[in-house]
């Protein structure tokens, strides 16, 4: 999302689509701000529209189109490298703790194929992600009764809030590998949250902390007009 203006991201994405040109084999090349390009795939979109999830939801949420590869959406990166990396697990927990890089890798790792959905209208389906389940970190910390919300804390004060049940989903992870490679810096290296069932702005990059709380704390985009809950299947785009 563009931080410079509050006008809805989708609006500007629609404007940009007026510059869309068509390449061979049904791939649409859309010009993005900053001279970046990304490829929406008609074929992948068609295929995904014919699929359903186990619980009956369509694979592709309404208003979304499939992308061929993850595209960097910006934000202010945190410190590069793993030497100084620390992830703080804290808030309303019995045993707050911090993980360094070795500590993170020593946790049980999950290899998952996940779908992510950006509020600008692209979805990246079935990409490989590796990381530590947030529910395992929560179990290690011991949640106090009454904990209902989770705040992802990232470099330079970016935060995103999610309901506890989304954070405890077995598909919600602290990811450090994507597509079989270490997470790239523009995508949040060394680690980011990935919460696939909510719009992708909830998946904080350059993650520094996970705070479990009783009372909700709307985050960066949630206090700037975006939806507090952000379910893509309900198109909860704006608050
Ligand atoms: N720390 C941080 N995390 C962030 C953001 C950000 O600006 N800062 N942007 C969010 C938004 S709006 C999106 S769409 C996704 C984009 O992830 P990507 O750049 O890997 O595609 O990251 C989310 N996580
Ligand atoms: Mo975004």
């Amino acid at each position: 999302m563009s931080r410079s203006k509050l006008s809805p991201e989708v609006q500007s994405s629609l404007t940009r689509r007026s510059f869309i040109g068509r390449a061979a084999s049904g791939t649409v090349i859309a010009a993005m701000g900053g001279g970046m390009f990304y490829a929406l795939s008609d074929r992948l979109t068609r295929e995904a529209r014919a699929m359903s999830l186990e619980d009956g939801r369509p694979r592709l949420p309404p208003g979304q189109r499939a992308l061929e590869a993850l595209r960097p959406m910006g934000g202010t990166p945190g410190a590069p490298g793993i030497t100084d990396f620390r992830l703080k697990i804290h808030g309303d927990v019995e045993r707050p703790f911090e993980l360094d890089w070795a500590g993170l890798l020593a946790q049980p790792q999950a290899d998952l194929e996940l779908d992510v959905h950006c509020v600008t209208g692209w979805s990246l389906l079935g990409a490989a992600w590796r990381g530590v389940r947030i529910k395992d970190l929560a179990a290690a910390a011991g949640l106090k009764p009454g904990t209902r919300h989770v705040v992802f804390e990232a470099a330079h004060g970016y935060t995103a809030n999610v309901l506890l049940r989304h954070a405890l989903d077995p598909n919600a992870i602290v990811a450090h590998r994507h597509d079989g490679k270490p997470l790239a810096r523009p995508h949040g290296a060394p680690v980011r949250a990935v919460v696939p069932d909510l719009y992708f702005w909830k998946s904080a990059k350059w993650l520094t902390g996970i705070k479990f709380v009783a009372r909700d704390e709307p985050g960066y985009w949630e206090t700037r007009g975006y939806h507090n809950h952000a379910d893509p299947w309900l198109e909860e785009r704006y608050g």
Side-chain angles (χ1 to χ4, degrees):
M1 292 184 203
S2 160
R3 282 182 181 214
S4 50
K5 39 182 171 172
L6 298 180
S7 64
E9 198 181 9
V10 168
Q11 294 282 92
S12 59
S13 144
L14 288 175
T15 311
R16 286 192 292 260
R17 286 211 189 127
S18 61
F19 298 107
I20 282 172
R22 223 157 247 279
S25 70
T27 297
V28 175
I29 307 294
M32 299 297 288
M36 292 196 287
F37 289 82
Y38 73 104
L40 287 164
S41 166
D42 285 350
R43 180 181 58 83
L44 292 176
T45 299
R46 243 187 346 263
E47 284 174 11
R49 286 203 175 126
M51 295 181 202
S52 302
L53 301 174
E54 272 173 27
D55 60 12
R57 284 176 300 169
R59 175 93 186 256
L60 202 58
Q64 298 294 114
R65 299 174 67 198
L67 195 67
E68 287 183 340
L70 192 59
R71 68 166 239 95
M73 298 296 283
T76 313
I82 52 175
T83 324
D84 296 331
F85 170 77
R86 296 288 183 282
L87 182 69
K88 199 170 152 189
I89 311 297
H90 64 128
D92 298 332
V93 299
E94 305 290 351
R95 298 172 296 278
F97 62 96
E98 258 186 32
L99 288 174
D100 61 10
W101 186 248
L104 184 82
L105 296 187
Q107 305 296 311
Q109 304 289 312
D111 282 294
L112 303 170
E113 284 185 11
L114 303 174
D115 296 350
V116 297
H117 310 288
C118 177
V119 74
T120 57
W122 61 254
S123 295
L124 180 70
L125 305 176
W129 296 91
R130 180 179 177 85
V132 176
R133 289 194 165 96
I134 295 166
K135 76 179 178 67
D136 291 344
L137 299 173
L143 301 186
K144 290 188 178 162
T147 303
R148 299 250 188 292
H149 305 271
V150 175
V151 180
F152 295 117
E153 301 167 320
H156 307 286
Y158 184 95
T159 59
N161 58 317
V162 304
L163 286 172
L164 180 64
R165 71 178 164 90
H166 291 298
L168 299 187
D169 186 285
N171 286 332
I173 59 172
V174 173
H176 56 87
R177 290 180 77 83
H178 169 65
D179 251 358
K181 295 184 288 277
L183 194 64
R185 187 125 191 270
H187 295 299
V191 304
R192 74 178 300 163
V194 177
V195 184
D197 270 354
L198 300 172
Y199 280 123
F200 206 28
W201 82 76
K202 298 285 192 181
S203 294
K205 304 189 277 192
W206 311 292
L207 191 68
T208 57
I210 302 179
K211 185 168 70 167
F212 295 90
V213 288
R215 290 178 52 182
D216 198 11
E217 293 178 20
Y220 184 88
W221 288 113
E222 293 80 5
T223 52
R224 287 165 174 78
Y226 286 84
H227 202 284
N228 197 50
H229 182 229
D231 181 333
W233 285 268
L234 302 175
E235 285 203 80
E236 292 174 338
R237 297 177 192 270
Y238 309 110

